[in-house]
Amino acid sequence: MAGNAGPAGPAGQTQSDVATAPANEETQDARSEPSVLAARDTCSEYSLSSMSAQSTGEECFRSPCHAESSMARMESYLQLNQLTDVILVAGSKRIPAHRLILCAGSEYFSAMFTSGLRETNQSEVELQFVDGNALSSLVQYCYTGRVELREDTVETLLATACLLQLPAVVAACCAFLKRQLHPSNCIGISLFADQQGCVDLQLAAYAYTTEHFMEVVCNQEFLQLSAEEVAKLLASDDLNVPSEEAVFLALMGWVKHDLTNRKNDLVLANLLGLVKMPLLPPSFIADHIETNPLFKDVRACQDLIMEALKYHLLPERRPLLQSPRTHPRKSTVGFLYAIGGMYAKKGATNIERYNLRSDSWHHVDEMNGRRLQFGVAVVDGKIFVVGGRDGLKTLNTVEYYDPATKTWIFLPPMSTHRHGLGVGVLEGPLYAVGGHDGWSYLNTVERWDPQSSQWSYVAPMAYQRSTVGVAVLNNKLYAVGGRDGSSCLRSVECYDPHTNKWMPCSPMLKRRGGVGVGVANGYLYAMGGHDAPASNPSASRFDCVERYDPKTDTWTMVASMSHGKDGIGVVLFGDKLFCVGGYDGQHYKTLVEVYDPQTNEWTQAAPLNTGRAGTCLVVLKN
């Protein structure tokens, strides 16, 4: 009966429809369409009868080792020279292969055999200027995905892999060569990588060369370089050298290695111009350069020597004598230390050190105890920490830190307890200027004599100053801004140790408490700070910077910092002013901004590990 039809079968047929179908229909279909049946068998592990019972189910089987087993079969065909359809010829080497495998493995061969080039139908293809052994290894790689890397053949293999456009092999060869870098081969690897367009390898080899420059210059690769390649090295500020003297001696070693061919006036002048001669000690210039017969009759060399001597003889003209030769190499400027300060947990006691070559800060030690608003200076290679407050009381204690032994030593205390003071070293002695004793603002100044290890008072300032900026310029001690209890100050005064007198200078354009000060190229810079009355400590901080010219006794605004802040640590590091940390009214900053006096521009260096304000900065030379 029509009303009693059973559930639908495959393709919407009823059970009765299926039953009345010809019994041999499926068999006939299978004979006429064997490929369809085979496809069904490979795409499902169910029989056709079970599929008919599950009309909505589908599965696809994937063999996990199909590609590998297929390539292994192709490799066996290659070994037996079966079904090969092309022979690659490189020198005396004849390498049979399958076009399909080559095209699948190499963009180079794919373009050769599928783009209608003449090689498409050639049974033999000759590759000129290709190493046969390297080509054979890379053809084998197309079948197996494996290639042997050896120190004596890896460069040839890399060059061939670059030609055949095998990026995975190129990357493996580059990684292998990076692990083989040594002072005796780094220059050669750098030049080779440059030829092959392997940028990462070239940069790694060049960085290794600059890092190990003192060892590299003792090897044949350096001595055999062309003048152009030597010039590229000497022009780098990344050379890891203890001093500029080492660069000059390396140059002389290269010249003397082939004196006959390298004693060329133009070459000598060009290479000597890459030595930062103004930064050499005058005695070294006199003993090793001025009297050197190689330079005696070369006018351009004599001009360079005169430039360097003027830089030393006329220090007041140094701002006018700036050039790439007065810009120090990163390794010769020493290290920058950031000591203590205030942060979210009130008092930071850690000491961080900044490496200009690596642009990184690292924790090196801890202070002896908690100090806030203290002063720091370098005397005889030791870091002196003076005064401050410990959170409960104002201190008069003084101690120094020896970076070589990582030890702290206490010294005789100041006569006056001081926090918010400024310190500076002038012609040997250390001065502690102004501050607050816990009761009142101070205008008194004490001097530490390293010979007698004693403190004594010198002439007081005209104004009481706490959070004062102190710097040394042209053999005078400057006290800049600060606050006197009622307001922040614009006033500036300078101290002459020979007359024991303070003299007034032109005031700043802005009142600045918590000001950061630094000296560069004969100018004094005042950075950031605030003009907040004691009753409103949350008032905004300054981002503006002004520069003082002692010759004209005038202040001029220059490029501003990126953020307004006070409590900035400022110091000349190399030929740039580093401005570290600070407080913007809400956050203790990790920001490190770098001011270039030559370009009047700001950049950023790596941030501090710990945000802080009032950190004290010093530079220790190598």
Side-chain angles (χ1 to χ4, degrees):
M1 292 174 54
N4 292 330
Q13 294 174 317
T14 63
Q15 287 182 340
S16 59
D17 292 334
V18 175
T20 58
N24 63 344
E25 181 178 338
E26 189 176 46
T27 305
Q28 291 173 346
D29 288 344
R31 290 174 180 172
S32 62
E33 296 180 343
S35 60
V36 174
L37 184 58
R40 288 177 178 172
D41 288 343
T42 58
C43 288
S44 175
E45 60 185 21
Y46 294 101
S47 66
L48 290 178
S49 60
S50 65
M51 286 182 66
S52 65
Q54 301 182 20
S55 58
T56 60
E58 291 185 4
E59 287 196 14
C60 182
F61 168 74
R62 183 185 298 274
S63 170
C65 56
H66 174 75
E68 185 177 351
S69 62
S70 296
M71 291 306 296
R73 179 66 61 88
M74 293 301 298
E75 183 187 4
S76 68
Y77 289 149
L78 177 68
Q79 301 302 328
L80 298 171
N81 200 12
Q82 291 180 336
L83 303 178
T84 56
D85 52 6
V86 69
I87 294 177
L88 304 178
V89 180
S92 59
K93 200 88 169 177
R94 296 172 61 82
I95 307 163
H98 303 88
R99 278 185 169 86
L100 183 62
I101 301 301
L102 297 179
C103 290
S106 162
E107 292 291 339
Y108 176 85
F109 285 122
S110 178
M112 175 184 287
F113 295 133
T114 66
S115 301
L117 301 178
R118 64 180 182 180
E119 290 88 356
T120 302
N121 299 313
Q122 289 180 344
S123 58
E124 290 191 6
V125 175
E126 183 177 3
L127 281 71
Q128 296 184 347
F129 312 113
V130 173
D131 183 84
N133 292 326
L135 179 61
S136 178
S137 296
L138 293 174
V139 167
Q140 192 72 23
Y141 167 81
C142 289
Y143 288 81
T144 64
R146 298 187 303 272
V147 66
E148 183 179 3
L149 305 180
R150 296 171 50 190
E151 190 173 351
D152 57 338
T153 60
V154 67
E155 288 190 357
T156 303
L157 191 69
L158 172 56
T160 310
C162 287
L163 172 68
L164 301 184
Q165 299 177 49
L166 297 169
V169 178
V170 171
C173 291
C174 288
F176 181 86
L177 284 170
K178 286 179 186 179
R179 294 191 294 271
Q180 306 302 313
L181 285 169
H182 185 271
S184 64
N185 65 20
C186 55
I187 289 178
I189 290 176
S190 177
L191 295 174
F192 172 75
D194 189 45
Q195 292 171 355
Q196 301 302 322
C198 299
V199 177
D200 287 346
L201 176 60
Q202 193 276 328
L203 292 175
Y206 181 78
Y208 186 96
T209 302
T210 57
E211 175 68 27
H212 299 86
F213 183 76
M214 296 303 296
E215 301 164 79
V216 169
V217 298
C218 300
N219 286 274
Q220 286 296 309
E221 280 193 348
F222 174 77
L223 297 174
Q224 292 172 0
L225 279 175
S226 67
E228 292 76 13
E229 294 299 335
V230 172
K232 288 179 184 178
L233 271 178
L234 299 190
S236 172
D237 286 338
D238 290 316
L239 294 183
N240 188 15
V241 291
S243 64
E244 197 63 24
E245 292 96 311
V247 178
F248 175 79
L249 295 175
L251 171 60
M252 288 297 95
W254 178 85
V255 171
K256 292 175 182 178
H257 183 72
D258 188 5
L259 188 59
T260 303
N261 294 313
R262 294 172 180 173
K263 189 180 178 181
N264 176 287
D265 291 358
L266 187 61
V267 169
L268 289 174
N270 180 46
L271 294 178
L272 187 62
L274 297 173
V275 177
K276 299 179 186 292
M277 223 186 312
L279 305 183
L280 291 170
S283 59
F284 187 90
I285 298 172
D287 295 342
H288 298 276
I289 304 178
E290 187 181 22
T291 58
N292 193 314
L294 282 173
F295 311 126
K296 190 172 183 181
D297 299 321
V298 183
R299 175 62 184 272
C301 292
Q302 289 298 311
D303 289 344
L304 290 169
I305 294 170
M306 183 57 64
E307 174 195 64
L309 293 175
K310 282 182 180 179
Y311 191 82
H312 288 286
L313 293 171
L314 304 170
E316 71 280 1
R317 297 188 186 177
R318 286 181 183 175
L320 304 175
L321 298 174
Q322 296 299 304
S323 74
R325 286 179 287 279
T326 61
H327 176 69
R329 300 183 201 272
K330 295 175 183 178
S331 65
T332 62
V333 299
F335 294 98
L336 171 60
Y337 288 77
I339 302 163
M342 181 178 288
Y343 74 138
K345 297 180 181 179
K346 297 302 182 183
T349 60
N350 60 330
I351 301 173
E352 294 188 49
R353 186 175 71 181
Y354 177 74
N355 185 328
L356 184 60
R357 287 193 74 245
S358 62
D359 186 31
S360 59
W361 291 90
H362 298 284
H363 176 269
V364 292
D365 215 329
E366 295 286 327
M367 298 176 66
N368 233 351
R370 182 183 179 193
R371 286 183 194 252
L372 303 171
Q373 295 183 295
F374 55 94
V376 166
V378 174
V379 178
D380 296 330
K382 311 292 193 302
I383 299 175
F384 278 55
V385 176
V386 182
R389 58 188 177 89
D390 62 6
L392 296 175
K393 61 184 182 299
T394 299
L395 306 172
N396 67 343
T397 55
V398 180
E399 56 187 322
Y400 74 75
Y401 175 73
D402 186 343
T405 61
K406 292 193 172 185
T407 55
W408 289 92
I409 304 295
F410 275 98
L411 296 170
M414 295 182 291
S415 300
T416 302
H417 294 69
R418 303 173 188 268
H419 71 261
L421 74 161
V423 300
V425 176
L426 177 58
E427 298 179 351
L430 180 149
Y431 292 78
V433 180
H436 194 283
D437 65 4
W439 300 97
S440 59
Y441 290 84
L442 303 172
N443 67 345
T444 58
V445 180
E446 296 183 60
R447 176 171 62 194
W448 163 262
D449 184 346
Q451 301 299 322
S452 63
S453 296
Q454 291 182 344
W455 288 95
S456 59
Y457 283 104
V458 297
M461 296 181 290
Y463 296 90
Q464 297 170 338
R465 301 177 189 271
S466 182
T467 67
V468 58
V470 170
V472 173
L473 174 62
N474 297 338
N475 299 317
K476 290 184 174 62
L477 188 72
Y478 283 77
V480 180
R483 59 186 312 134
D484 64 2
S486 60
S487 65
C488 293
L489 304 173
R490 292 175 56 208
S491 61
V492 179
E493 47 192 314
C494 70
Y495 174 77
D496 186 337
H498 300 288
T499 62
N500 190 31
K501 290 182 179 179
W502 287 90
M503 298 297 293
C505 302
S506 178
M508 293 182 290
L509 303 176
K510 280 186 173 290
R511 299 175 183 271
R512 297 179 189 263
V515 62
V517 297
V519 170
N521 292 338
Y523 297 101
L524 175 66
Y525 292 81
M527 303 183 173
H530 61 263
D531 186 14
S535 60
N536 185 19
S538 62
S540 63
R541 275 75 178 167
F542 300 141
D543 62 0
C544 57
V545 178
E546 46 190 306
R547 181 183 70 189
Y548 176 72
D549 185 346
K551 294 185 183 129
T552 60
D553 190 31
T554 55
W555 288 90
T556 306
M557 284 290 181
V558 295
S560 296
M561 300 179 290
S562 65
H563 295 79
K565 47 192 180 287
D566 62 8
I568 314 164
V570 179
V571 73
L572 182 69
F573 189 39
D575 59 351
K576 295 180 176 62
L577 287 167
F578 274 63
C579 303
V580 178
Y583 182 66
D584 65 3
Q586 293 183 320
H587 303 102
Y588 294 95
K589 311 294 286 185
T590 60
L591 180 66
V592 178
E593 298 190 78
V594 183
Y595 178 73
D596 187 337
Q598 288 298 111
T599 63
N600 190 32
E601 293 177 343
W602 289 90
T603 56
Q604 290 188 12
L608 289 162
N609 293 313
T610 302
R612 60 183 88 191
T615 186
C616 294
L617 304 181
V618 292
V619 173
L620 282 178
K621 299 292 185 179
N622 293 337

